[in-house]
Amino acid sequence: MTTNNTLTFTTKTKELIDELKSVCASYGLGNDGNEFKIISQIFLYKFLNDRFAYEIKELKPELAEAEDWAEQLAQLPEEEYEVLRFQMKASTAFLKPHQLIGYLFQRQNEPDFAKLLDDTLMDIAVSNNELFAVKTEDGQKVPLFDRITEFVRSKRDGFAKALLNKLVIFNFENIMEEGFDFFSTIFEYLIKDYNSDSGGKYAEYYTPHAVSKIIANILVPEPVSNVTIYDPSAGSGTLLMNLAHAIGPDKCTVYSQDISQKSSNLLRLNLVLNQLVHSIENVIQGNTMTDPYHKKDGDLRKFDYIVSNPPFKLDFSDDVDTLNKKENKDRFFAGVPNVPKKKKESMAIYTLFLQHIMYSLNATGKAACVVPTGFITAQSGIEKKIRQKLVDHKMLAGVVSMPSNIFATTGTNVSIVFLDAANKEDVVLIDASNLGTTVKDGKNQKTLLSESEEDRIIETFTHKTEVEDFSVVVKYDDIKAKNYSFSAGQYFEIKIEYVDITVEEFDNKIQDFEKNLRTLFDEGKTLENEINENLKNLNFQNV
């Protein structure tokens, strides 16, 4: 597809999303807690419908020429129709003729149309449950769809009709072969009002594009295949999708866990859009710290690649006893943060995620974790113990300190710690804090990196290049000598600039210095005499 056509379809897709949001607003659901479920699920229904249509027409080209392809499809004998199920890609939802958008469109004026729409979505979810269901940590399955019209308290039929009428305007069939860049843009637009990086309890942090790109490209500098990738705090999957794109969706299997149901549902949508349906069975909704789900041979599963942008601070005081149990001692080798008497929400939960990542990495694995920049120089405590193990066990690839405000609305400066269990030699430390352009993002400031700046970070790290006041390449022993500091600035050379002068210029400068000194000495002597005279004039009566 040409660039102009791609831009046209991008614009039309965004318009569809805006139209669906407008319908929600018209029925009192604007900014409602359930709006994201309606938008994401009705959008997903549309996408699955059009992907099914696209593949059916690939299998039976005559349908593409039919005036009403859905009606002609419905005329097929049941046996022939079922054969199509086995001919289609395993990652495609299989729909019955009466579950297609066109069929529902024709029946929209019937009584209880809202119930018909909901029943259709639920039937699709049930019949495709094995492929699309997200699991919880206790084995329950979260179906693909909810009964979305039940979120409206009145005029449900009108709401259902309004949604459906938006779906027939636009056709996804022509963009099914578009790649990651297209669908990541659409997904980001789709969820822009539903993901927050403002913190709070179990906040869904949205990782900026620059951070995702830098992590993916540094972790995968050259082709790999048949690998596992994992995020223990996956959110909506931005880091995982960028990493999977760098590797190839058919060359990796995604594993994830996140405590948020909303995030897990959004991640499922992201996987569908990016040809990673085969990994949905590995999407787990649950608490990674207390109940890590992914296991193999009786222990936590070890992965080839791990990425994470965990919450930095969070009150997990209710879980401390569980985390301190004997079975967790190896995983949390550096310890579990103590519960403060005040400000429990300041507990540094990211240190648990980082320890979990280290434990979950296989013998040749690589990982990247976003941390507050304070972590890289902390002089004591859990943070220091983690850095010591990374150095002493030689599993550190490097650190990139990012510009301030790379995450809008969070005042915390961040760095990216790169792990490499096989790296026994040089470590790269980059100070990128002076890069980027500051822009307004609502009420907040945000720093944006240009593409050339992103590439500069990636190339410098990948090629282990030293650049004055930007990057250093150090040995593990160098890091030990600096009290295990991961800050590039502490390794930069302090340079003294020398200026060549003649003998005559040197003599003139010395003469000037001597003259100035004599003047200062004379002024000091005068001041000393004045003080002595004033002291002589003092007596008891004057005091």
Side-chain angles (χ1 to χ4, degrees):
M1 187 178 292
T2 65
T3 302
N4 287 338
N5 282 340
T6 301
L7 290 174
T8 299
F9 274 102
T10 302
T11 301
K12 287 184 177 180
T13 309
K14 290 181 177 180
E15 288 175 357
L16 169 62
I17 295 167
D18 289 339
E19 291 285 349
L20 293 174
K21 290 183 178 180
S22 177
V23 171
C24 287
S26 298
Y27 282 82
L29 290 168
N31 298 318
D32 181 87
N34 292 310
E35 183 190 16
F36 93 93
K37 290 185 179 180
I38 297 167
I39 299 298
S40 60
Q41 291 186 23
I42 203 71
F43 183 89
L44 179 57
Y45 171 50
K46 169 65 174 173
F47 187 84
L48 295 180
N49 180 96
D50 288 6
R51 176 167 283 283
F52 173 82
Y54 170 79
E55 289 201 26
I56 282 290
K57 291 174 185 178
E58 290 281 301
L59 291 172
K60 297 184 74 65
E62 63 272 20
L63 292 177
E65 306 298 325
E67 184 174 342
D68 188 343
W69 71 271
E71 178 62 29
Q72 188 168 326
L73 180 67
Q75 300 303 317
L76 290 177
E78 186 174 348
E79 297 81 5
E80 185 177 347
Y81 195 86
E82 284 298 317
V83 169
L84 292 173
R85 178 194 294 269
F86 300 101
Q87 294 177 327
M88 296 182 73
K89 293 179 181 177
S91 60
T92 302
F94 189 76
L95 307 182
K96 299 293 181 67
H98 66 273
Q99 296 170 336
L100 298 172
I101 290 174
Y103 177 84
L104 292 179
F105 182 77
Q106 295 174 358
R107 297 185 60 185
Q108 63 178 301
N109 293 318
E110 295 181 8
D112 293 328
F113 178 69
K115 183 177 184 302
L116 176 61
L117 175 59
D118 282 344
D119 287 346
T120 300
L121 294 180
M122 297 307 293
D123 287 345
I124 294 172
V126 170
S127 60
N128 293 275
N129 203 41
E130 291 302 313
L131 185 60
F132 291 98
V134 168
K135 285 184 287 190
T136 62
E137 59 194 12
D138 59 0
Q140 299 296 314
K141 290 190 174 182
V142 181
L144 192 59
F145 297 116
D146 294 294
R147 304 187 75 85
I148 61 174
T149 71
E150 292 185 356
F151 296 122
V152 180
R153 296 185 178 181
S154 63
K155 299 182 180 178
R156 289 177 56 203
D157 286 349
F159 177 63
K161 289 170 61 176
L163 287 176
L164 191 73
N165 278 283
K166 299 302 181 184
L167 300 186
V168 298
I169 298 173
F170 179 75
N171 194 329
F172 277 122
E173 292 180 43
N174 294 324
I175 57 174
M176 285 301 163
E177 295 306 319
E178 287 297 308
F180 170 76
D181 291 334
F182 178 85
F183 286 115
S184 63
T185 301
I186 295 304
F187 181 78
E188 183 173 341
Y189 189 79
L190 178 67
I191 69 167
K192 66 183 176 69
D193 296 328
Y194 310 131
N195 249 26
S196 169
D197 61 1
S198 59
K201 192 167 181 63
Y202 304 132
E204 283 76 31
Y205 293 85
Y206 188 81
T207 307
H209 169 77
V211 175
S212 301
K213 174 185 173 181
I214 289 168
I215 286 176
N217 283 271
I218 287 177
L219 286 181
V220 190
E222 49 192 41
V224 296
S225 61
N226 193 30
V227 294
T228 55
I229 65 177
Y230 171 55
D231 189 337
S233 56
S236 57
T238 306
L239 283 175
L240 283 171
M241 294 306 100
N242 278 267
L243 182 58
H245 171 59
I247 296 169
D250 59 335
K251 297 176 182 177
C252 63
T253 303
V254 175
Y255 294 81
S256 75
Q257 190 164 348
D258 196 285
I259 199 168
S260 166
Q261 179 180 340
K262 181 172 82 172
S263 288
S264 297
N265 286 335
L266 290 174
L267 174 56
R268 170 168 53 189
L269 173 58
N270 217 348
L271 291 168
V272 171
L273 294 178
N274 289 288
Q275 300 180 44
L276 285 158
V277 173
H278 62 276
S279 291
I280 290 178
E281 63 178 348
N282 303 322
V283 175
I284 303 301
Q285 179 200 329
N287 189 328
T288 308
M289 296 300 96
T290 58
D291 297 288
Y293 181 87
H294 299 293
K295 298 180 180 180
K296 187 177 181 181
D297 300 329
D299 194 7
L300 293 190
R301 190 182 187 103
K302 309 297 183 182
F303 298 96
D304 297 307
Y305 294 91
I306 305 177
V307 289
S308 181
N309 174 25
F312 290 169
K313 296 180 179 181
L314 194 70
D315 176 9
F316 57 93
S317 55
D318 292 342
D319 298 329
V320 166
D321 288 343
T322 299
L323 298 173
N324 275 317
K325 286 183 178 179
K326 184 178 179 180
E327 59 263 30
N328 285 320
K329 291 299 181 183
D330 289 340
R331 184 162 59 122
F332 301 127
F333 65 89
V336 176
N338 294 323
V339 180
K341 293 181 179 179
K342 297 181 179 179
K343 295 188 69 175
K344 292 182 181 180
E345 67 276 8
S346 68
M347 297 176 70
I349 194 171
Y350 81 91
T351 60
L352 297 178
F353 277 97
L354 188 49
Q355 291 176 81
H356 174 79
I357 289 168
M358 293 167 67
Y359 187 84
S360 302
L361 206 59
N362 68 25
T364 58
K366 297 181 179 181
C369 184
V370 181
V371 300
T373 293
F375 165 82
I376 67 176
T377 55
Q379 295 299 299
S380 61
I382 294 174
E383 294 87 349
K384 176 74 173 297
K385 290 178 182 177
I386 293 173
R387 297 205 314 273
Q388 284 178 310
K389 182 165 183 176
L390 288 172
V391 172
D392 293 345
H393 285 70
K394 295 187 176 181
M395 55 188 303
L396 178 67
V399 177
V400 178
S401 296
M402 300 296 288
S404 60
N405 298 318
I406 198 74
F407 287 80
T409 75
T410 62
T412 306
N413 290 341
V414 306
S415 295
I416 309 170
V417 177
F418 289 89
L419 281 62
D420 185 347
N423 181 46
K424 307 305 178 184
E425 298 297 333
D426 297 335
V427 174
V428 185
L429 303 177
I430 295 177
D431 181 2
S433 60
N434 293 320
L435 300 184
T437 303
T438 302
V439 298
K440 258 305 206 192
D441 186 15
K443 297 179 181 179
N444 305 292
Q445 299 285 336
K446 185 174 184 179
T447 301
L448 297 178
L449 294 176
S450 66
E451 186 173 350
S452 62
E453 288 173 324
E454 294 168 354
D455 291 341
R456 180 187 179 193
I457 294 171
I458 294 165
E459 291 170 7
T460 300
F461 196 107
T462 302
H463 297 298
K464 295 188 174 184
T465 306
E466 288 198 338
V467 180
E468 185 176 341
D469 294 332
F470 181 70
S471 64
V472 291
V473 179
V474 298
K475 303 291 185 183
Y476 283 109
D477 286 342
D478 298 329
I479 300 176
K480 291 180 183 179
K482 291 285 188 180
N483 200 23
Y484 294 90
S485 172
F486 290 175
S487 174
Q490 294 193 22
Y491 298 85
F492 292 153
E493 289 186 17
I494 299 175
K495 296 185 178 181
I496 301 174
E497 294 187 4
Y498 296 92
V499 179
D500 290 332
I501 59 175
T502 64
V503 173
E504 183 179 356
E505 289 172 331
F506 177 79
D507 290 340
N508 288 336
K509 284 183 178 291
I510 292 297
Q511 291 174 11
D512 287 340
F513 290 150
E514 290 176 343
K515 183 178 179 181
N516 289 335
L517 280 172
R518 282 196 298 271
T519 301
L520 292 172
F521 290 155
D522 291 341
E523 291 176 352
K525 192 67 175 177
T526 301
L527 181 60
E528 180 183 350
N529 291 332
E530 289 178 359
I531 292 172
N532 285 327
E533 288 299 319
N534 288 332
L535 287 172
K536 291 176 182 178
N537 292 328
L538 287 176
N539 56 49
F540 181 77
Q541 285 79 10
N542 289 338
V543 175

